[in-house]
mmCIF file of all heavy atoms in Angstrom:
data_model
loop_
_atom_site.group_PDB
_atom_site.id
_atom_site.type_symbol
_atom_site.label_atom_id
_atom_site.label_comp_id
_atom_site.label_asym_id
_atom_site.label_seq_id
_atom_site.Cartn_x
_atom_site.Cartn_y
_atom_site.Cartn_z
ATOM 1 N N GLY O 58 -12.951 17.581 0.170
ATOM 2 C CA GLY O 58 -13.777 17.491 -0.990
ATOM 3 C C GLY O 58 -14.312 16.190 -1.482
ATOM 4 O O GLY O 58 -15.200 16.134 -2.364
ATOM 5 N N VAL O 59 -13.675 15.064 -1.115
ATOM 6 C CA VAL O 59 -14.082 13.755 -1.544
ATOM 7 C C VAL O 59 -13.957 12.760 -0.268
ATOM 8 O O VAL O 59 -13.029 12.903 0.458
ATOM 9 C CB VAL O 59 -13.159 13.174 -2.588
ATOM 10 C CG1 VAL O 59 -13.563 11.833 -3.007
ATOM 11 C CG2 VAL O 59 -13.145 14.204 -3.871
ATOM 12 N N ASP O 60 -15.010 11.958 -0.108
ATOM 13 C CA ASP O 60 -14.843 10.896 0.944
ATOM 14 C C ASP O 60 -14.730 9.619 0.140
ATOM 15 O O ASP O 60 -15.254 9.431 -0.894
ATOM 16 C CB ASP O 60 -16.263 10.740 1.701
ATOM 17 C CG ASP O 60 -16.401 11.835 2.783
ATOM 18 O OD1 ASP O 60 -15.333 12.262 3.193
ATOM 19 O OD2 ASP O 60 -17.499 12.200 3.241
ATOM 20 N N TYR O 61 -13.769 8.785 0.723
ATOM 21 C CA TYR O 61 -13.493 7.475 0.161
ATOM 22 C C TYR O 61 -13.904 6.360 1.029
ATOM 23 O O TYR O 61 -13.770 6.432 2.289
ATOM 24 C CB TYR O 61 -12.084 7.319 -0.122
ATOM 25 C CG TYR O 61 -11.575 8.247 -1.199
ATOM 26 C CD1 TYR O 61 -11.041 9.482 -0.999
ATOM 27 C CD2 TYR O 61 -11.630 7.759 -2.599
ATOM 28 C CE1 TYR O 61 -10.592 10.303 -2.140
ATOM 29 C CE2 TYR O 61 -11.126 8.543 -3.676
ATOM 30 C CZ TYR O 61 -10.664 9.902 -3.312
ATOM 31 O OH TYR O 61 -10.201 10.618 -4.440
ATOM 32 N N GLU O 62 -14.512 5.259 0.437
ATOM 33 C CA GLU O 62 -14.796 4.154 1.279
ATOM 34 C C GLU O 62 -14.059 2.947 0.561
ATOM 35 O O GLU O 62 -14.366 2.666 -0.670
ATOM 36 C CB GLU O 62 -16.286 3.833 1.305
ATOM 37 C CG GLU O 62 -16.693 2.654 1.981
ATOM 38 C CD GLU O 62 -18.180 2.332 2.024
ATOM 39 O OE1 GLU O 62 -18.975 3.283 1.628
ATOM 40 O OE2 GLU O 62 -18.521 1.200 2.318
ATOM 41 N N ALA O 63 -13.269 2.253 1.244
ATOM 42 C CA ALA O 63 -12.502 1.043 0.735
ATOM 43 C C ALA O 63 -13.583 -0.004 0.511
ATOM 44 O O ALA O 63 -14.279 -0.337 1.416
ATOM 45 C CB ALA O 63 -11.352 0.546 1.623
ATOM 46 N N VAL O 64 -13.646 -0.670 -0.682
ATOM 47 C CA VAL O 64 -14.509 -1.585 -1.036
ATOM 48 C C VAL O 64 -13.850 -2.994 -0.993
ATOM 49 O O VAL O 64 -14.345 -4.055 -0.581
ATOM 50 C CB VAL O 64 -15.182 -1.396 -2.387
ATOM 51 C CG1 VAL O 64 -16.103 -2.534 -2.736
ATOM 52 C CG2 VAL O 64 -15.931 -0.009 -2.332
ATOM 53 N N GLU O 65 -12.501 -3.112 -1.558
ATOM 54 C CA GLU O 65 -11.870 -4.405 -1.784
ATOM 55 C C GLU O 65 -10.413 -4.134 -1.685
ATOM 56 O O GLU O 65 -9.942 -3.076 -2.174
ATOM 57 C CB GLU O 65 -12.386 -4.834 -3.134
ATOM 58 C CG GLU O 65 -11.843 -6.136 -3.500
ATOM 59 C CD GLU O 65 -12.339 -6.617 -4.871
ATOM 60 O OE1 GLU O 65 -13.518 -6.014 -5.257
ATOM 61 O OE2 GLU O 65 -11.714 -7.373 -5.544
ATOM 62 N N LEU O 66 -9.640 -5.111 -1.034
ATOM 63 C CA LEU O 66 -8.302 -5.083 -1.031
ATOM 64 C C LEU O 66 -7.801 -5.811 -2.383
ATOM 65 O O LEU O 66 -8.148 -6.867 -2.720
ATOM 66 C CB LEU O 66 -7.651 -5.778 0.041
ATOM 67 C CG LEU O 66 -6.128 -5.886 0.203
ATOM 68 C CD1 LEU O 66 -5.502 -4.584 0.145
ATOM 69 C CD2 LEU O 66 -5.714 -6.669 1.435
ATOM 70 N N ILE O 67 -7.121 -4.991 -3.363
ATOM 71 C CA ILE O 67 -6.652 -5.711 -4.606
ATOM 72 C C ILE O 67 -5.304 -6.395 -4.568
ATOM 73 O O ILE O 67 -5.163 -7.417 -4.912
ATOM 74 C CB ILE O 67 -6.606 -4.397 -5.662
ATOM 75 C CG1 ILE O 67 -7.982 -3.734 -5.853
ATOM 76 C CG2 ILE O 67 -6.260 -5.025 -6.994
ATOM 77 C CD1 ILE O 67 -9.091 -4.459 -6.234
ATOM 78 N N GLU O 68 -4.299 -5.507 -4.109
ATOM 79 C CA GLU O 68 -2.805 -6.076 -4.130
ATOM 80 C C GLU O 68 -2.086 -5.482 -2.885
ATOM 81 O O GLU O 68 -2.558 -4.555 -2.284
ATOM 82 C CB GLU O 68 -2.223 -5.592 -5.455
ATOM 83 C CG GLU O 68 -2.764 -6.075 -6.754
ATOM 84 C CD GLU O 68 -2.144 -5.494 -7.864
ATOM 85 O OE1 GLU O 68 -1.957 -4.291 -7.981
ATOM 86 O OE2 GLU O 68 -1.682 -6.261 -8.797
ATOM 87 N N THR O 69 -0.942 -6.180 -2.628
ATOM 88 C CA THR O 69 -0.056 -5.752 -1.608
ATOM 89 C C THR O 69 1.208 -5.742 -2.306
ATOM 90 O O THR O 69 1.628 -6.340 -3.326
ATOM 91 C CB THR O 69 -0.033 -6.659 -0.464
ATOM 92 O OG1 THR O 69 0.399 -7.993 -0.776
ATOM 93 C CG2 THR O 69 -1.256 -6.735 0.318
ATOM 94 N N GLN O 70 2.136 -4.888 -1.625
ATOM 95 C CA GLN O 70 3.680 -4.793 -2.208
ATOM 96 C C GLN O 70 4.510 -4.623 -0.976
ATOM 97 O O GLN O 70 4.286 -3.851 -0.139
ATOM 98 C CB GLN O 70 3.790 -3.345 -3.062
ATOM 99 C CG GLN O 70 5.082 -3.107 -3.583
ATOM 100 C CD GLN O 70 5.278 -1.775 -4.108
ATOM 101 O OE1 GLN O 70 4.702 -0.823 -3.674
ATOM 102 N NE2 GLN O 70 5.968 -1.797 -5.301
ATOM 103 N N ILE O 71 5.418 -5.565 -0.963
ATOM 104 C CA ILE O 71 6.509 -5.600 0.009
ATOM 105 C C ILE O 71 7.661 -4.868 -0.366
ATOM 106 O O ILE O 71 8.266 -4.997 -1.347
ATOM 107 C CB ILE O 71 6.955 -7.034 0.355
ATOM 108 C CG1 ILE O 71 5.627 -7.972 0.554
ATOM 109 C CG2 ILE O 71 7.951 -7.114 1.425
ATOM 110 C CD1 ILE O 71 5.251 -8.124 2.027
ATOM 111 N N VAL O 72 7.877 -3.791 0.477
ATOM 112 C CA VAL O 72 9.216 -2.834 0.318
ATOM 113 C C VAL O 72 9.753 -2.659 1.681
ATOM 114 O O VAL O 72 9.937 -3.845 2.360
ATOM 115 C CB VAL O 72 8.747 -1.582 -0.399
ATOM 116 C CG1 VAL O 72 8.652 -1.803 -1.875
ATOM 117 C CG2 VAL O 72 7.612 -0.903 0.164
ATOM 118 N N ASN O 73 9.922 -1.536 2.199
ATOM 119 C CA ASN O 73 10.334 -1.374 3.602
ATOM 120 C C ASN O 73 9.024 -1.180 4.379
ATOM 121 O O ASN O 73 8.661 -0.201 4.869
ATOM 122 C CB ASN O 73 11.102 -0.068 3.702
ATOM 123 C CG ASN O 73 11.749 0.029 5.046
ATOM 124 O OD1 ASN O 73 11.701 -0.817 5.854
ATOM 125 N ND2 ASN O 73 12.293 1.247 5.354
ATOM 126 N N GLY O 74 8.273 -2.498 4.374
ATOM 127 C CA GLY O 74 7.022 -2.431 4.975
ATOM 128 C C GLY O 74 5.977 -2.963 3.927
ATOM 129 O O GLY O 74 6.431 -3.591 2.984
ATOM 130 N N THR O 75 4.694 -2.748 4.096
ATOM 131 C CA THR O 75 3.760 -3.199 3.077
ATOM 132 C C THR O 75 2.941 -2.052 2.553
ATOM 133 O O THR O 75 2.427 -1.256 3.373
ATOM 134 C CB THR O 75 2.942 -4.164 3.799
ATOM 135 O OG1 THR O 75 3.686 -5.288 4.250
ATOM 136 C CG2 THR O 75 1.837 -4.865 2.739
#
Side-chain angles (χ1 to χ4, degrees):
V59 180
D60 281 339
Y61 289 94
E62 179 183 344
V64 176
E65 185 178 334
L66 178 60
I67 303 293
E68 295 175 309
T69 59
Q70 179 187 41
I71 306 274
V72 283
N73 188 11
T75 302

